[in-house]
Amino acid sequence: MSEFNSEENRPAEASVFERVSEAHSEPLSRQERLERWYYDTVVVTAKIIWEDIRARIGISILLFIILMGVVGPFIVERPQIGDYPKFIGPFQSTKFILGTDGLGMPIGAQIVHATPAMLKMAFAGAVVAMSIGIVIGTTAGYKGGRVDDVLMTLTDIVLTMPGLPLIVVLAAIYQPENPYVVGFILAIDNWPGLARRLRSQVLTIREESYVEASRAMGFGSPEILRRDIIPQLMPYITINSAGAARSIIYESVGLYFLGILPFTTLNWGVMMNMAYSNGAVSNPMLSGHWLWFPMLVLLLLSLGLILFSQGMDRIFNPRLRARHQRSGDDGDSTNPAVVE
C-alpha cells in the first residue's frame, strides 16, 4: 500500500519541483524587475522607518530644518536693522514671534535666513571628509603593504596635529566668506578617524570569496573597491556622515561665536556672539531670548542628526530588510517563487 502511494505521489512531487524550477528559471520582465526594485528599495525602507520612532523623529527634524533653509528665505522677509523696536521678548507679536534683538531685527527671521549657510557648510564638510576618508581608508585596507604604510602614516600625522588650532590658523589666514569653503576647511579635522575605521573594516572584507572571485576574473583594484567593497560599507559610511555633519556645524558655530570667522552673513554663531556681547548672559530677562533661540535650533539639528544616524543603523540592517522582504514576498501572488 505504502509502495503504491509512494509511486502514486511521485508524479505530483515531480510536477511541483518542475513548476518551481520553471518559476525560478523564468526571467523577470522589465516591469517586474522595476516593481521588485521599488518594493525592496522604497517600500521596505519606509516600513523600517515607520516602525522605528527614532528614525521618524530624526528624519522629521531634518526635513523641517531643510525646508526652513530651502523654502524659508523665499517666504520670510530678510531682516533689516531697525525693522521693529529693540529687545522685544518672544510671543508678543505675530510679526516677530521669537522677539527682536538689540538692533531691532526679528530673531525668527534671522534664524531662517542663517539656515542655508549652515546647511551648505554641513554638506560641504561632510562630503569632503567622507570622500577623503573613503579613498584613503579603503585603498590602504585593500592594497596593504607599502601603500598601506604610506597612507596610514599620513593619516597618523594629521591625527596627531591639534585640529582646532590648525583650523583657527587657516581661517585667520584665508578669512573664508563662502560657506562651502568654510565647510572644506573644517573637514580637515574630520577625515582621519573615518579613514582609520574604514581601513579596519576593509581588512575583514578583502578576503571574502566574492572579492577573491573578482580578483580571479581579472578586475582591477579600483573596480573591486567600487563594485564589491564600498557598497558593503555604505551603511557604516552613511552613519558616520551624519556624525561628520554634526561636528562641522558645532565647529563652525563655535568659530563664529569666538569671532574667528568673518561676520559676512547671518549665522547662528554670529547671533550668539552678538547676544553675548549685548548682555544676554548678564541680563537674560532683557536679551536672553537672543541667545537661547539660536542655541535651541542648534541642539534640535544635532538631535535630528543623532536620531537619523541611529535610524540608519536599522534601515541598513540586513536581517530587518530580509524580514520585510519575506513578508512582502509571502503576500505577493505574482512572485514567481510562490507556487500553489
Side-chain angles (χ1 to χ4, degrees):
M1 186 67 180
S2 60
E3 292 178 358
F4 175 75
N5 288 338
S6 174
E7 293 292 334
E8 190 178 37
N9 289 336
R10 276 179 188 171
E13 292 173 358
S15 175
V16 168
F17 287 121
E18 286 172 1
R19 290 163 62 188
V20 170
S21 176
E22 290 173 0
H24 280 290
S25 61
E26 184 179 348
L28 296 177
S29 65
R30 183 175 181 180
Q31 179 68 21
E32 290 172 332
R33 288 199 302 271
L34 184 61
E35 290 177 354
R36 176 160 294 185
W37 174 87
Y38 174 77
Y39 184 85
D40 292 344
T41 305
V42 179
V43 177
V44 170
T45 301
K47 285 184 175 180
I48 295 174
I49 291 174
W50 184 251
E51 288 182 354
D52 186 25
I53 189 171
R54 297 171 303 178
R56 292 206 304 270
I57 295 175
I59 291 175
S60 300
I61 291 174
L62 293 182
L63 284 177
F64 169 73
I65 293 178
I66 290 173
L67 283 175
M68 184 170 68
V70 175
V71 182
F74 296 100
I75 299 175
V76 180
E77 188 178 353
R78 190 175 182 83
Q80 301 293 333
I81 296 176
D83 278 347
Y84 300 103
K86 300 177 182 178
F87 294 121
I88 302 297
F91 312 117
Q92 297 187 22
S93 172
T94 55
K95 295 180 179 178
F96 39 86
I97 296 176
L98 301 184
T100 63
D101 62 8
L103 302 174
M105 294 194 294
I107 292 174
Q110 292 184 63
I111 292 176
V112 170
H113 282 270
T115 304
M118 301 301 302
L119 295 178
K120 290 175 184 176
M121 276 185 278
F123 175 76
V127 168
V128 172
M130 291 298 105
S131 301
I132 298 175
I134 290 170
V135 171
I136 291 183
T138 55
T139 305
Y142 179 73
K143 298 295 289 185
R146 187 167 297 177
V147 175
D148 183 23
D149 294 339
V150 172
L151 292 178
M152 286 301 101
T153 300
L154 174 65
T155 304
D156 291 340
I157 291 173
V158 179
L159 271 176
T160 53
M161 290 181 181
L164 185 58
L166 176 64
I167 292 171
V168 169
V169 171
L170 291 175
I173 293 174
Y174 294 106
Q175 290 289 303
E177 298 180 1
N178 190 314
Y180 291 114
V181 178
V182 175
F184 178 82
I185 292 177
L186 297 177
I188 294 173
D189 190 32
N190 284 277
W191 69 264
L194 175 67
R196 269 284 178 194
R197 293 191 294 272
L198 286 177
R199 173 183 174 273
S200 63
Q201 295 288 327
V202 173
L203 289 175
T204 62
I205 294 177
R206 68 178 185 180
E207 304 300 335
E208 294 287 343
S209 57
Y210 58 89
V211 179
E212 292 283 353
S214 296
R215 277 197 289 264
M217 294 172 67
F219 289 114
S221 298
E223 186 73 7
I224 293 174
L225 285 173
R226 186 178 63 83
R227 292 169 54 100
D228 297 331
I229 293 181
I230 292 179
Q232 300 296 322
L233 299 173
M234 281 312 294
Y236 192 78
I237 292 170
T238 305
I239 293 170
N240 276 273
S241 65
R246 191 164 59 92
S247 299
I248 298 292
I249 290 172
Y250 273 137
E251 291 175 0
S252 66
V253 170
L255 293 176
Y256 276 111
F257 178 76
L258 295 173
I260 295 171
L261 290 172
F263 292 5
T264 55
T265 182
L266 288 174
N267 185 282
W268 301 339
V270 174
M271 294 177 65
M272 287 190 279
N273 176 291
M274 296 182 68
Y276 179 79
S277 302
N278 284 274
V281 176
S282 59
N283 191 2
M285 297 302 294
L286 176 65
S287 57
H289 59 284
W290 192 1
L291 177 66
W292 305 132
F293 282 118
M295 191 179 295
L296 181 64
V297 177
L298 178 64
L299 293 176
L300 187 66
L301 177 57
S302 177
L303 175 66
L305 288 170
I306 292 173
L307 294 177
F308 174 75
S309 63
Q310 292 178 349
M312 288 298 103
D313 187 40
R314 287 180 59 83
I315 288 172
F316 288 116
N317 188 319
R319 290 185 178 179
L320 281 176
R321 297 195 73 86
R323 190 185 74 186
H324 284 284
Q325 286 167 350
R326 279 200 300 272
S327 63
D329 289 345
D330 291 344
D332 185 4
S333 60
T334 64
N335 189 345
V338 178
V339 179
E340 297 177 358

